[in-house]
Amino acid sequence: MKGKLIGILSLGLVLSSGKYFAQNQPQENQKMEWFQDAKLGIFIHWGIYSVNGIPESWAFFNNYISHENYMKQLNGFSASKYNPDEWVKLIKNSGAKYAVITTKHHDGVALWDSKAEKSTTIPKHSLAKRNVLSPLISALKNSGLKTGLYYSLPDWSHPYYDINTRTKKRYKIKNDPKRWENFVTYYQNQLNELSSQLKPDLLWFDGDWEHSSEEWRAPETLENLKKFNPNIIVNSRLKNHGDYETPEQGIPVVKPQSNYWELCYTMNDSWGFQPFDNHYKTPNMIVRTLADVINMGGNLLLDIAPKEDGTIPEQQVEILKNLERWTTKNSEAIYGTTRGLPFDNYKGKSAFSKDRKKLFLYLEEAKDFVKIYGLMTNIISARILGDDKAKINIKSNGNGDFTFNFSHVKFDQDVTVVEISIDEPMIRVQNDKPNLSLPESLENKNTKTAVYEIAEQLHSGNNIFKNSGLTEDGMEMKLPQTDKTNPEILNWISKHAEALYETEKGLPEGYFSGNSVLSKDRQTLYLFVEGVPTGPIALKGIKNEIARIRIVGEGTLLGHEIYNKLYWSEVPGIIYIDVPKEKLDKNLTVIAVLLDKPLELYREKVGAIESNL
């Protein structure tokens, strides 16, 4: 049976239960191997919009500024301190394996000396008076990094394009088809220039929402690109005539359906340089985002936004240097990895090595142990990457359930990586988690393990406190006790009774990296926080407004901050909650998140931003 199972999986079949893992890629997808292995790329938004520090292209499209005044920024774009070799060194050292630069945004300003009819270019029309694109591509290629070119299909400045601003159209295609054909010729000529002169590995289209596949000539465009490079990789924004999905800004709650995907993501709230946008994510948040993306089998395309003179803001350099620290330390747990364990088997982020003989766990907190369920294999060893003095004791119940106890570990400031070596490629996990009884839990001598297991039972929907004598406020409890009952566990239960009494099954996979439960009225979400988090705890995909957040059992009110929430979009932002270290429970902290109404979860696809008001 085992031999037959492996034979089936070698054909690339993935069973929908999530218990099995495919082994080999189909032959036609070999061109995607470098992309799938890369995990980290750097996006570069550089253009005349960096002169005044205003939204790229959208500033005039939304009538925040006139088109004439927007284009006057050409006179201030100097690139006077631009050093492409320094850029590439910073990018490569960050651990990125490829870079994508905006060759032309929706404003139509090309970074290279385009000869296409009526082109507006940096070499011809800006203060810089030189091609700023080719030197960067040469430096990237010389460094061994893969090269990606962003190209906007719309050109809101070009006289042949039908749309000028949100409120102004130049013409209707049906009334002037020849003019539209002239535009198609224009943009095809620009793509031919980029393909023949720069020989990119990847083309990153944007703006396809403005017209149909037929109007863009999408199939013909793709076939033409393949003439220059049969292995060219194209994103999905050519009316889905591409190779991979590109969710934007919002970290997906669940893995995108495509085998290949990439989250494009800003460090603050802006793609281009905006001097007054100081809403930067911390270096800790960025590393944890990378781990989240790796856990789901995708890539992170992290944006930098150089100034008009070609220098990169210090806050962005700091984030890249911290990525360098983390990726250098944990490289074998990043590149070439595949999607990790299902959430039912491990309440955290994880990934497998390409040969599936190593499992990597990404710990976002300093803690004493982790538990994994249903591993149908033998474990050879476990270690902490970058920490030779750390000790890991492995315990198994003989049924595929393992506990990894840590000692003498120097936990990473952002994400600690545990490497687990197994004796054969992991192709199957089992989701049958044992149910525990309350008396059994109360007699556990290890309080931390006991309360964690209680949280797991509650999260899965097995409320072991039903008809147990637990009271809602934890006072006058009448729980079953014996001479073996651990009093410290009773104290923890009493302190956190509101999160245990008649609460229901917790959040599904993707919303919170840990156990949780929901109050009976579904308006209070309880999060079980292990150990000492390295940064603020994160919640994704919550549609509700947050009314109040507090620490259960001791009353401290907590603040929160939301990132990547676009006010006009239905996609929720990421909620980050800071928990003071001195307020953490030594066994297991419980956070109560009071919502404005019964819990509503977002689980739809996160796509491209098509209307940036």
Side-chain angles (χ1 to χ4, degrees):
M1 179 63 188
K2 189 174 182 180
K4 290 181 180 178
L5 176 63
I6 294 175
I8 291 172
L9 291 175
S10 68
L11 298 176
L13 177 66
V14 182
L15 302 187
S16 61
S17 67
K19 295 182 180 180
Y20 299 89
F21 303 94
Q23 295 292 292
N24 298 324
Q25 295 181 26
Q27 184 75 22
E28 64 268 20
N29 289 333
Q30 287 184 358
K31 75 168 187 177
M32 298 298 295
E33 186 173 7
W34 75 259
F35 178 83
Q36 188 174 42
D37 290 349
K39 300 307 171 190
L40 178 62
I42 298 299
F43 216 171
I44 307 168
H45 274 69
W46 195 33
I48 64 170
Y49 37 85
S50 62
V51 174
N52 292 345
I54 57 178
E56 60 289 341
S57 308
W58 296 97
F60 75 82
F61 184 83
N62 289 327
N63 299 310
Y64 298 163
I65 184 175
S66 70
H67 181 261
E68 180 183 2
N69 285 335
Y70 179 93
M71 297 303 284
K72 285 180 180 178
Q73 292 178 105
L74 283 162
N75 300 324
F77 188 85
S78 69
S80 58
K81 298 179 182 179
Y82 173 45
N83 187 329
D85 290 326
E86 287 185 0
W87 282 21
V88 170
K89 182 180 179 181
L90 189 62
I91 290 168
K92 186 168 185 176
N93 287 348
S94 75
K97 299 300 182 183
Y98 65 107
V100 179
I101 183 169
T102 51
T103 65
K104 176 183 76 73
H105 206 266
H106 312 322
D107 59 13
V109 180
L111 298 187
W112 79 103
D113 189 17
S114 177
K115 306 301 183 185
E117 187 180 6
K118 299 184 184 298
S119 294
T120 301
T121 73
I122 292 298
K124 290 179 184 174
H125 302 102
S126 79
L127 178 63
K129 294 296 182 188
R130 59 181 170 129
N131 181 338
V132 294
L133 178 60
S134 296
L136 176 64
I137 302 304
S138 295
L140 287 168
K141 289 181 180 293
N142 290 337
S143 74
L145 294 177
K146 296 290 186 179
T147 57
L149 304 181
Y150 168 107
Y151 183 84
S152 167
L153 292 165
D155 188 329
W156 295 330
S157 297
H158 200 279
Y160 292 158
Y161 193 64
D162 60 330
I163 298 172
N164 180 213
T165 71
R166 186 175 296 278
T167 57
K168 180 181 177 183
K169 290 194 69 169
R170 295 184 178 92
Y171 65 97
K172 292 183 178 180
I173 294 176
K174 66 179 181 179
N175 296 335
D176 198 346
K178 176 61 177 175
R179 193 172 179 182
W180 178 253
E181 288 300 321
N182 288 339
F183 176 76
V184 171
T185 299
Y186 156 79
Y187 101 75
Q188 295 283 357
N189 285 340
Q190 286 200 326
L191 287 176
N192 289 343
E193 290 174 350
L194 292 171
S195 298
S196 61
Q197 296 171 21
L198 302 179
K199 298 176 173 55
D201 301 293
L202 182 152
L203 267 165
W204 212 102
F205 287 106
D206 198 14
D208 63 345
W209 59 82
E210 288 200 332
H211 290 287
S212 68
S213 175
E214 181 181 3
E215 288 170 338
W216 287 126
R217 311 289 194 272
E220 297 90 333
T221 298
L222 185 58
E223 288 306 309
N224 184 57
L225 293 173
K226 290 179 179 178
K227 293 177 183 177
F228 295 97
N229 179 1
N231 293 316
I232 189 72
I233 293 175
V234 177
N235 72 343
S236 60
R237 300 189 188 187
L238 186 62
K239 303 307 288 188
N240 293 317
H241 292 278
D243 300 298
Y244 68 94
E245 288 188 50
T246 55
E248 183 169 341
Q249 291 290 44
I251 304 174
V253 173
V254 293
K255 177 189 177 298
Q257 292 182 350
S258 173
N259 288 332
Y260 312 104
W261 63 276
E262 167 195 80
L263 169 66
C264 53
Y265 203 62
T266 56
M267 292 184 178
N268 52 8
D269 291 334
S270 307
W271 291 108
F273 172 67
Q274 294 192 33
F276 302 109
D277 181 1
N278 293 311
H279 196 221
Y280 276 91
K281 302 163 189 75
T282 65
N284 172 273
M285 292 175 185
I286 296 295
V287 169
R288 289 165 57 197
T289 297
L290 175 58
D292 200 359
V293 170
I294 293 171
N295 165 69
M296 290 188 283
N299 289 3
L300 174 63
L301 185 63
L302 183 66
D303 185 59
I304 60 173
K307 301 177 183 179
E308 61 81 18
D309 64 2
T311 58
I312 299 173
E314 280 303 314
Q315 300 99 315
Q316 299 178 21
V317 172
E318 178 188 357
I319 288 172
L320 292 178
K321 287 187 176 295
N322 188 57
L323 276 171
E324 175 184 356
R325 179 198 67 78
W326 191 78
T327 58
T328 301
K329 178 181 179 181
N330 300 292
S331 59
E332 57 196 293
I334 301 170
Y335 310 110
T337 55
T338 60
R339 187 182 181 187
L341 288 168
F343 193 57
D344 285 341
N345 298 90
Y346 171 61
K347 292 295 189 294
K349 300 169 185 175
S350 64
F352 283 103
S353 60
K354 187 177 288 189
D355 64 4
R356 309 199 71 82
K357 295 183 73 172
K358 289 184 178 179
L359 171 64
F360 301 103
L361 310 180
Y362 306 102
L363 310 185
E364 297 181 332
E365 57 281 307
K367 55 187 177 183
D368 293 345
F369 66 92
V370 297
K371 285 181 172 289
I372 301 177
Y373 297 93
L375 289 187
M376 308 308 292
T377 187
N378 294 319
I379 291 178
I380 298 173
S381 63
R383 68 186 182 104
I384 303 292
L385 294 187
D387 187 355
D388 295 335
K389 295 181 180 179
K391 304 294 182 184
I392 302 179
N393 177 259
I394 307 170
K395 291 184 178 180
S396 171
N397 67 355
N399 294 318
D401 302 335
F402 293 87
T403 301
F404 300 83
N405 294 292
F406 307 128
S407 59
H408 308 293
V409 174
K410 185 178 180 181
F411 288 94
D412 189 85
Q413 67 190 45
D414 300 315
V415 175
T416 302
V417 181
V418 182
E419 177 195 86
I420 300 170
S421 297
I422 53 184
D423 66 348
E424 59 182 352
M426 173 67 69
I427 61 171
R428 184 166 67 94
V429 293
Q430 184 172 295
N431 289 338
D432 297 329
K433 190 179 297 181
N435 283 335
L436 298 178
S437 66
L438 181 57
E440 185 180 2
S441 297
L442 293 177
E443 292 179 1
N444 192 327
K445 294 180 180 179
N446 188 318
T447 304
K448 287 185 179 180
T449 301
V451 298
Y452 176 83
E453 290 175 346
I454 288 171
E456 277 195 314
Q457 294 294 313
L458 297 174
H459 175 96
S460 65
N462 176 31
N463 194 321
I464 59 177
F465 293 100
K466 187 176 182 180
N467 301 320
S468 67
L470 177 66
T471 56
E472 187 172 6
D473 61 2
M475 305 299 290
E476 299 180 0
M477 299 187 305
K478 296 180 180 179
L479 299 178
Q481 300 182 40
T482 69
D483 57 355
K484 295 181 180 180
T485 298
N486 183 338
E488 192 175 11
I489 297 174
L490 291 176
N491 290 337
W492 184 89
I493 292 172
S494 176
K495 177 182 177 182
H496 301 97
E498 67 166 279
L500 316 176
Y501 181 81
E502 294 187 350
T503 49
E504 300 177 352
K505 188 175 182 178
L507 293 169
E509 180 173 4
Y511 295 92
F512 173 63
S513 187
N515 290 300
S516 61
V517 291
L518 196 59
S519 62
K520 194 172 183 178
D521 65 2
R522 299 183 59 81
Q523 200 162 333
T524 301
L525 178 62
Y526 295 100
L527 310 176
F528 296 97
V529 179
E530 301 174 58
V532 180
T534 62
I537 59 176
L539 269 175
K540 294 187 297 182
I542 307 298
K543 289 184 176 182
N544 302 68
E545 297 292 329
I546 304 296
R548 178 170 288 181
I549 304 175
R550 58 185 170 82
I551 300 177
V552 173
E554 60 95 74
T556 299
L557 297 181
L558 302 176
H560 70 282
E561 195 162 4
I562 299 176
Y563 286 80
N564 295 90
K565 176 67 182 96
L566 305 173
Y567 74 90
W568 43 263
S569 170
E570 292 183 356
V571 181
I574 306 168
I575 302 165
Y576 285 102
I577 305 168
D578 266 315
V579 185
K581 290 183 179 180
E582 63 271 20
K583 295 294 184 177
L584 294 168
D585 187 277
K586 67 178 182 178
N587 292 309
L588 186 65
T589 305
V590 185
I591 305 298
V593 181
L594 177 63
L595 308 172
D596 62 335
K597 56 186 175 181
L599 177 67
E600 293 183 2
L601 297 177
Y602 184 89
R603 211 165 179 83
E604 289 83 359
K605 177 180 177 180
V606 177
I609 291 177
E610 300 181 1
S611 179
N612 197 351
L613 284 169

